[in-house]
C-alpha cells in the first residue's frame, strides 16, 4: 500500500469505465482519500457524456425526490436511499462549485449556461487530475476474484490489484462511445443475474397504416419532417384497449416512424413490441374537448361552406397533416363543405382527438439513449451499491437495471 503524508494506508480502488458514473465515482473515492485508478478503453473519457442533450448535456432535473421517482419507470425504489443522500440539488451544487454555472429550462431540465457538454465532462476530468486519479486507457479483459474476494482487474495482459472494484461500464446504447456490454459479461461471470438489455428512450418504428376504407399507406413517410407541439399522446395496448402511457408535449414524424421527447419516454413502457400490439393515439387539439372542437369545426366550415373539404382545414391543422387526417376520416377531400353530414363530422372529430399511428417496433439498441435491463438490483445493496454476492464489488450507472425518462434523470442516476 501507498501511504499518505501521515503514514496512513490508502485504500486502492479501481474504476472500470470513464463515463459519467465512472468519473464521478473516481472523484468521490479520491476525495475520501482512496488511491484511485480509472480504466477507460477509449482514447479519452466521457465520450457519451459529450453528446448528451444534443451536445448541451442535460445534467440533471431540478425537481424534488418525489417527482424524480415518478420519472423512473424501472426499479425506482432502489434509488430511494441514494437520492436522499445525493439529490438533484446536490448535483447542481457539485458542478457549480467546480466552476460550471448552470441554468434551468422548460421541464426543469438543467444545462450548463454555456450549452456545452464539454464543460461538464471537462470539470469531472479536471477534478480527477487535481485529486491524483490515474486514468489508464486500457481495456479491462476480466475482473480478478479469488475465494469470494475481489482482487483487482486484468487489463492489457497485466494484473492490477485493488481493495475494491467499481463497474461503471455503461449499457449497450451508443456502442461507438464504448458502451458495448462489457460490464454485463463481467458481472455475469462473477455470478450476477443480468436482466436482458433492451433499448429504452429510443425512436419508434411505424409500419403501414390504413385509411377509413382499409387501404394501406405509409402514414409516417407522408408526414416525414413534421413536428407537432403541444399535443397529447397516448399509447394503447390494442388487445385490451388499456393505456400504457400518457404524455403531453412534442413529437416528430420521420421516414421510419416517430421520435421526439414524448416518444422517447413512451418507448420505456413498450415491452416485447410486435406489429399490432400497441397503437399511438394523438390528441391534436388537447385544449379543446369534443363539444368545443365541434363548435370550432362548425365555425370553420361556415367560413368555407362553398369550398372543397380539403381546403377547409388550413386554420386547424398543419398543411402536411391535412391530407392524412382526411384519409383517416373517410371523407372525400373534394366533397363540398356544405354537404358534410353530422356523422362525417363526428368521424373527423374522432381522428382529431385520437389520431392513430400503428407501432411495428423500436429502432435498434445502438440508437437508444439508454439501455433498460442490466445487473439485477436485487443483488446489489441500495445503500452502498455493493454486490450482495461478492464483497468489494460495486456498480454505478447504466450497467444497473435502472432507467428513467428524458429530462436529465438518467445522468442524475449515473
Amino acid at each position: 500500500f501507498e501511504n499518505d503524508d501521515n503514514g496512513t494506508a490508502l485504500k486502492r480502488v479501481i474504476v472500470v469505465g470513464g463515463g459519467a458514473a465512472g468519473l464521478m465515482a473516481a472523484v468521490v473515492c479520491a476525495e475520501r482519500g482512496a488511491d484511485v485508478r480509472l480504466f477507460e478503453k477509449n482514447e479519452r473519457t466521457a465520450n457519451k457524456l459529450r453528446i448528451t442533450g444534443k451536445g448541451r448535456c442535460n445534467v440533471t432535473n431540478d425537481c424534488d425526490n418525489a417527482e424524480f421517482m415518478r420519472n423512473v419507470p424501472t426499479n425506482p425504489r432502489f434509488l430511494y436511499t441514494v437520492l436522499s443522500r445525493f439529490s438533484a440539488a446536490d448535483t447542481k451544487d457539485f458542478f457549480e462549485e467546480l466552476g460550471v454555472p448552470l441554468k434551468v429550462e422548460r421541464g426543469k431540465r438543467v444545462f450548463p449556461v454555456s450549452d456545452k457538454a464539454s464543460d461538464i465532462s471537462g470539470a469531472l476530468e479536471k477534478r480527477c487530475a487535481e485529486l491524483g486519479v490515474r486514468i489508464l486507457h486500457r481495456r479491462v479483459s476480466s475482473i480478478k476474484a479469488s475465494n469470494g474476494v475481489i482482487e483487482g482487474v486484468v487489463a492489457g495482459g497485466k494484473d492490477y490489484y485493488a481493495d475494491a472494484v467499481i463497474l461503471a461500464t455503461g449499457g449497450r446504447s451508443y456502442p461507438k462511445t464504448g458502451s458495448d456490454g462489457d460490464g454485463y459479461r463481467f458481472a455475469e461471470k462473477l455470478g450476477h443475474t443480468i436482466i436482458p438489455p433492451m433499448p429504452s428512450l429510443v425512436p419508434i418504428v411505424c409500419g403501414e397504416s390504413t385509411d377509413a376504407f382499409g387501404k394501406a399507406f405509409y402514414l409516417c413517410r407522408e408526414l416525414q419532417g413534421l413536428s407537432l407541439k403541444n399535443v397529447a399522446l397516448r399509447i394503447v395496448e390494442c388487445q385490451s384497449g388499456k393505456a400504457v402511457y400518457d404524455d403531453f408535449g412534442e413529437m416528430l414524424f420521420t421516414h421510419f416512424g416517430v421520435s421526439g421527447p414524448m416518444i422517447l419516454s413512451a418507448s420505456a413502457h413498450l415491452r416485447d413490441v410486435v406489429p399490432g400490439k400497441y397503437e399511438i393515439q394523438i390528441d391534436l387539439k388537447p385544449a379543446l374537448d369534443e363539444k368545443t372542437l365541434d363548435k370550432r369545426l362548425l365555425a370553420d366550415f361556415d367560413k368555407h361552406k362553398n369550398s372543397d373539404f380539403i381546403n377547409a382545414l388550413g386554420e386547424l391543422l398543419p398543411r402536411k397533416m391535412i391530407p392524412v387526417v382526411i384519409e383517416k376520416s373517410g371523407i372525400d377531400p373534394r366533397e363540398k363543405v356544405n354537404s358534410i353530414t353530422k356523422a362525417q363530422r363526428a368521424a373527423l372529430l374522432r381522428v382529431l382527438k385520437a389520431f392513430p399511428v400503428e407501432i411495428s417496433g423500436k429502432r435498434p439498441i445502438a440508437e437508444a439513449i439508454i439501455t433498460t435491463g442490466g445487473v439485477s438490483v436485487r443483488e446489489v445493496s441500495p445503500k452502498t451499491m455493493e454486490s450482495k454476492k461478492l464483497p468489494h464489488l460495486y456498480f454505478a450507472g447504466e450497467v444497473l437495471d435502472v432507467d428513467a425518462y428524458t429530462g436529465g434523470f438518467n445522468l442524475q442516476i449515473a
Side-chain angles (χ1 to χ4, degrees), residues 100-179:
V100 183
L102 303 173
K103 60 182 176 179
V104 180
E105 296 189 357
R106 183 175 49 83
K108 301 181 182 178
R109 290 167 159 84
V110 179
F111 293 89
V113 170
S114 65
D115 285 329
K116 293 178 180 177
S118 57
D119 283 2
I120 297 294
S121 59
L124 287 169
E125 291 165 334
K126 182 182 177 185
R127 186 62 179 147
C128 280
E130 290 170 349
L131 293 165
V133 173
R134 284 172 287 179
I135 297 176
L136 289 80
H137 293 281
R138 296 167 198 171
R139 186 181 195 121
V140 171
S141 57
S142 65
I143 309 299
K144 291 177 64 67
S146 178
N147 299 319
V149 177
I150 282 290
E151 293 184 334
V153 303
V154 179
K158 183 179 175 182
D159 293 346
Y160 294 86
Y161 292 92
D163 302 296
V165 171
I166 301 172
L167 280 184
T169 50
R172 283 182 52 207
S173 58
Y174 292 124
K176 290 180 180 178
T177 64
S179 301

Side-chain angles (χ1 to χ4, degrees), residues 228-249:
L228 297 179
K229 296 182 179 180
N230 301 319
V231 297
L233 175 99
R234 172 168 287 193
I235 306 283
V236 175
E237 198 172 46
C238 296
Q239 191 170 356
S240 65
K242 180 184 174 183
V244 298
Y245 185 74
D246 290 277
D247 204 352
F248 177 87

Side-chain angles (χ1 to χ4, degrees), residues 1 10 17 20 42 66 99 147 163 183 196 235 258 291 296 317 335 400:
F1 291 87
L10 294 173
N42 291 316
N147 299 319
D163 302 296
I235 306 283
V258 284
K291 188 174 180 181
R296 165 72 190 271
L317 295 169
E335 185 166 342
L400 288 162

Side-chain angles (χ1 to χ4, degrees), residues 175-332:
K176 290 180 180 178
T177 64
S179 301
D180 59 5
D182 271 356
Y184 304 143
R185 293 188 286 274
F186 297 150
E188 192 168 35
K189 194 169 182 180
L190 294 168
H192 276 274
T193 302
I194 305 300
I195 307 303
M198 301 290 288
S200 190
L201 304 188
V202 66
I204 290 173
V205 178
C206 302
E208 283 188 345
S209 189
T210 54
D211 63 16
F213 304 104
K215 178 187 171 186
F217 67 102
Y218 286 100
L219 177 150
C220 291
R221 206 171 291 167
E222 292 191 25
L223 294 175
Q224 179 179 347
L226 176 65
S227 177
L228 297 179
K229 296 182 179 180
N230 301 319
V231 297
L233 175 99
R234 172 168 287 193
I235 306 283
V236 175
E237 198 172 46
C238 296
Q239 191 170 356
S240 65
K242 180 184 174 183
V244 298
Y245 185 74
D246 290 277
D247 204 352
F248 177 87
E250 300 177 23
M251 60 176 292
L252 171 72
F253 288 96
T254 71
H255 68 286
F256 58 76
V258 284
S259 188
M262 281 198 303
I263 298 298
L264 296 178
S265 290
S267 72
H269 291 264
L270 305 184
R271 307 293 179 191
D272 305 317
V273 182
V274 292
K277 184 174 181 179
Y278 297 104
E279 180 182 79
I280 296 170
Q281 296 178 356
I282 308 166
D283 185 345
L284 297 167
K285 295 294 171 183
L288 306 176
D289 59 27
E290 282 203 21
K291 188 174 180 181
T292 307
L293 182 55
D294 193 32
K295 287 181 181 177
R296 165 72 190 271
L297 280 177
L298 285 170
D300 284 0
F301 282 7
D302 189 54
K303 287 183 192 175
H304 302 278
K305 56 188 173 185
N306 296 316
S307 303
D308 291 345
F309 176 48
I310 196 169
N311 297 320
L313 301 176
E315 295 172 38
L316 190 69
L317 295 169
R319 181 179 55 81
K320 210 168 191 176
M321 194 114 207
I322 293 171
V324 180
V325 165
I326 290 175
E327 281 185 89
K328 287 285 188 184
S329 74
I331 303 171
D332 184 340

